[in-house]
Amino acid sequence: MIMPLMLDPLPLLTLALAAYVISGILSALLASFGKVSSWLSALGGLIASAATFCAALSVLLGGALLSARLPGINYPVELSQLNALLLVAISLPALFGSIYSLAWLQSATVKNRRQIALLSAFFLAAMTLVVLADNSIALLLALEVAALCAYFMIIQPGCQKSRRAGLNQFLFGRAGTLLLVIAFALLYHATGSTHFSVARASVLSPLLASGVFVLAFLGFAMLAGVIPLHGWVPQAHSSAPAHISALFSSGLMKLGVLGIVKIGLDLLGVPPLWWGIVVLLLAVLTAFVGGLYALMEHDIKRLLAYHSLENIGIILLGIGGAMVGSALHQPTLAMLALMGGLFHLFNHGLFKSALFLGAGEIEQQLGIKDIEKMGGLARIMPCTAVAMLIALMSMSALPPLNGFVSEWFIYQSLFNLSGQGLFITRLLGPLLAVGLAITGALAVMCVAKVFGVSFLGKARSPLAEQATRAPRLMTFSTAMLALLCLLSGIASPWLLPVLARICAAFLNAPQMDIAAQASLYPGAGSKTWVSPPLMALLLLSLPLLPLLISVCLRAGRLPNRTRGEAWSCGYGYSSEMAVTASGFAQPLRVMFAPIYRLRKIFMPDGLVSLIHRDCLAAFCRRLAIVELAILLVVAIA
């Protein structure tokens, strides 16, 4: 039952789906009228994402609807609190992405405006339906529509790289869909139904359950970008428009995570221990390698895409820990791990969307994505610089931002894993914690690289010297997402009890006391006490100390001197003396050279050339058009 004072989520979800579809079609039809089309697309996305957010919030604060039908369209859905949490994680970036898209669409060509306005609306509607699906057929249909819409949004007119990126995404997507079809066909053969409620109530043989898990995990892992099944992610994020790239990270990849949660913790019963161990090992590999490859990138959007892989790995550390906790019947371990994973899923949507939108502002104003050719942008785009710095710090899990809190819970779950009685858990717990710590160090290095090279120092190219501020709506969207990163970190003692209730209901475990008096207690309060609001106050007050000292000693201070060029050991200063992105990452490139060579070993140039032949790309494009048209007709029917 939904609380009487809460809004009914079902009409709101119907409104959201209708707003997505109608605004997308109208804006595509009126694409020749730039402002009208842009406003229709942005307002439709704004209304739909706001309605989705309100519906999800009603479920989170009220109660779940495990089986219902959307009024008006009579569409069956399953609206659990876990699904509602994912809807919140998708709708917030979509809301600010819609505001950002208003400025982007007005500057786009008519053809590009028509394509992005229509497909982005269908893309968001399809992702919403994936989250709400109550059976495997509906999930697969909506997931395929979302993936095909993503394929067409990746390809940009006249750009060979984007065509290659789209082909990669198409091939990975179809392989993942094939694996999922086989997995759900096996599940249907065993249960006699495609509905998830029937699968939950069924008891499968261990061999069959493991077969379904492996197939479904591989299919969802391709969507989520789990290494080594990540080949489509970097190029796709780099080629798509910035607000679409943000939706890839905050939405499309998270659908893969949702699938892993459903198949590993929900539909197949209590998982065996080895399922969780496999997920944990792939998670730490994804986090470490993603962070390592991000440091080598100079394309700012590819760099952020590799960091999305890193954060998918961190999220899966929480999911895998929850699977191990369920297998060992350790509710404390399962609760801590799942809370950390799900909270990081939510947080990642905020800070990564802010980063992609900020990168889009830079690309819009400079026309380049190479951070080596930037520099000095903080003086030109100060609001964007501050917003991206906050988002980068959140990505690096620095307190008191939201990324710190979610990773704090994942660390606590790994420490709890180390204390379990089995040899494998005592071995894995410390190793995984060390891997997560190294990943955090790589993320901090990336903050220094991205912000230092892009925003500080002098301009490194004429394009950076001539840059101007981005449109206000773009800057506003980036700034608001960065502000949410700060607020959700400080307000975590009030947010996490809601998350604890969701995880306890999902795991059928006793609810834990997580927060009290603005402090977090993940586990034993005497050992794990931390207060994000207190951290925020201390960090804000620390700069006041040197200011007070300078005021007290001002009387004996020498007169101010005129500032000149930066000191360079007696030589005349030039912009070439500044630290470059290549030089910053060179020590790691040398240290981890064998790992960087793996990409060439597993994907040699001959194989890449064979895959990217023009005839295959043309065939896949025609196939994608036919498939998307058929799926839309089936979905409407």
Side-chain angles (χ1 to χ4, degrees), residues 318 335-345 406-407 409-410 499:
M335 280 283 293
L336 289 175
L338 188 61
M339 285 184 63
L342 293 181
F343 195 41
H344 201 75
L345 182 148
S406 52
E407 286 200 31
F409 273 80
I410 293 175
L499 188 59

Side-chain angles (χ1 to χ4, degrees), residues 510-576:
Q511 189 167 333
M512 296 173 58
D513 291 329
I514 296 298
Q517 299 178 351
S519 299
L520 302 175
Y521 294 92
S526 60
K527 299 178 182 178
T528 62
W529 180 89
V530 63
S531 175
L534 181 60
M535 286 184 180
L537 292 173
L538 290 174
L539 289 172
L540 291 173
S541 61
L542 279 177
L544 296 177
L545 182 60
L547 180 62
L548 289 173
I549 293 174
S550 65
V551 169
C552 294
L553 302 178
R554 190 172 182 84
R557 184 178 175 182
L558 294 174
N560 290 334
R561 292 176 293 177
T562 303
R563 295 179 61 86
E565 294 287 352
W567 185 73
S568 53
C569 301
Y571 294 93
Y573 177 80
S574 65
S575 59
E576 288 79 8

Side-chain angles (χ1 to χ4, degrees), residues 334-546:
M335 280 283 293
L336 289 175
L338 188 61
M339 285 184 63
L342 293 181
F343 195 41
H344 201 75
L345 182 148
F346 170 76
N347 295 335
H348 175 248
L350 295 181
F351 63 70
K352 191 50 62 71
S353 295
L355 290 171
F356 271 116
L357 297 187
E361 290 184 59
I362 296 172
E363 183 183 6
Q364 177 97 352
Q365 299 311 107
L366 276 67
I368 55 174
K369 295 177 287 185
D370 188 352
I371 61 176
E372 292 277 36
K373 298 178 181 179
M374 298 176 190
L377 296 180
R379 291 187 292 274
I380 302 168
M381 309 167 71
C383 294
T384 303
V386 172
M388 287 197 70
L389 179 60
I390 292 173
L392 285 166
M393 291 170 63
S394 180
M395 184 183 73
S396 302
L398 297 179
L401 299 163
N402 54 1
F404 163 77
V405 179
S406 52
E407 286 200 31
W408 173 260
F409 273 80
I410 293 175
Y411 272 114
Q412 293 298 323
S413 70
L414 295 178
F415 297 153
N416 191 287
L417 178 65
S418 305
Q420 303 302 319
L422 296 179
F423 170 77
I424 187 66
T425 58
R426 289 181 179 274
L427 176 66
L428 274 182
L431 291 178
L432 294 174
V434 170
L436 183 56
I438 294 174
T439 300
L442 293 175
V444 172
M445 288 186 67
C446 216
V447 171
K449 172 185 170 179
V450 173
F451 192 80
V453 175
S454 303
F455 289 97
L456 304 181
K458 284 194 171 184
R460 293 178 171 84
S461 68
L463 291 171
E465 289 179 350
Q466 299 163 11
T468 57
R469 293 188 182 185
R472 291 181 179 178
L473 287 178
M474 289 184 170
T475 305
F476 171 79
S477 303
T478 307
M480 289 304 297
L481 285 165
L483 181 62
L484 286 177
C485 292
L486 177 61
L487 294 179
S488 57
I490 296 173
S492 55
W494 296 274
L495 297 176
L496 283 170
V498 178
L499 188 59
R501 189 175 69 246
I502 295 170
C503 293
F506 181 74
L507 295 170
N508 195 24
Q511 189 167 333
M512 296 173 58
D513 291 329
I514 296 298
Q517 299 178 351
S519 299
L520 302 175
Y521 294 92
S526 60
K527 299 178 182 178
T528 62
W529 180 89
V530 63
S531 175
L534 181 60
M535 286 184 180
L537 292 173
L538 290 174
L539 289 172
L540 291 173
S541 61
L542 279 177
L544 296 177
L545 182 60

Side-chain angles (χ1 to χ4, degrees), residues 60 122 131 174 186 215 297 329 342 370 425 456 513 551:
L60 289 178
F122 283 5
V131 177
R174 303 299 70 71
L186 289 174
L215 290 168
E297 286 294 338
H329 303 287
L342 293 181
D370 188 352
T425 58
L456 304 181
D513 291 329
V551 169

Side-chain angles (χ1 to χ4, degrees), residues 98 100 106 185 265 291 306 367 416 443 460 475 523 525 589 607 632:
S98 299
Y100 177 99
Q106 289 180 359
L265 285 168
Y306 274 113
N416 191 287
R460 293 178 171 84
T475 305
R589 180 185 291 274
L607 179 60
L632 288 176

Side-chain angles (χ1 to χ4, degrees), residues 115-309:
Q115 177 176 319
I116 297 299
L118 178 64
L119 292 175
S120 63
F122 283 5
F123 177 64
L124 283 164
M127 287 199 298
T128 303
L129 290 174
V130 171
V131 177
L132 296 173
D134 73 338
N135 65 85
S136 56
I137 293 178
L139 184 146
L140 289 171
L141 286 176
L143 195 59
E144 193 70 0
V145 170
L148 289 171
C149 289
Y151 163 73
F152 287 108
M153 289 190 290
I154 290 167
I155 299 175
Q156 302 302 309
C159 180
Q160 182 66 24
K161 284 186 177 180
S162 70
R163 284 196 288 271
R164 290 189 171 192
L167 179 59
N168 287 341
Q169 190 271 347
F170 181 84
L171 295 176
F172 272 93
R174 303 299 70 71
T177 299
L178 179 61
L179 291 170
L180 290 175
V181 168
I182 297 173
F184 284 119
L186 289 174
L187 193 59
Y188 171 77
H189 179 73
T191 63
S193 174
T194 61
H195 284 80
F196 295 146
S197 57
V198 176
R200 290 189 189 97
S202 302
V203 179
L204 305 182
S205 67
L207 181 61
L208 179 60
S210 295
V212 172
F213 170 77
V214 170
L215 290 168
F217 175 78
L218 290 175
F220 286 122
M222 286 187 182
L223 187 64
V226 176
I227 291 176
L229 307 174
H230 68 291
W232 69 274
V233 175
Q235 299 95 325
H237 283 74
S238 178
S239 300
H243 61 291
I244 303 301
S245 299
L247 291 176
F248 286 172
S249 272
S250 63
L252 187 61
M253 296 173 71
K254 301 299 172 52
L255 297 181
V257 175
L258 175 66
I260 293 172
V261 173
K262 275 185 171 292
I263 207 72
L265 285 168
D266 185 20
L267 300 181
L268 302 180
V270 178
L273 180 61
W274 70 269
W275 293 9
I277 291 174
V278 168
V279 173
L280 285 173
L281 292 176
L282 288 175
V284 75
L285 175 69
T286 302
F288 175 69
V289 175
L292 206 57
Y293 273 97
L295 269 174
M296 295 301 111
E297 286 294 338
H298 300 333
D299 180 324
I300 189 169
K301 290 172 72 177
R302 279 178 63 93
L303 182 151
L304 294 175
Y306 274 113
H307 269 298
S308 284
L309 297 179

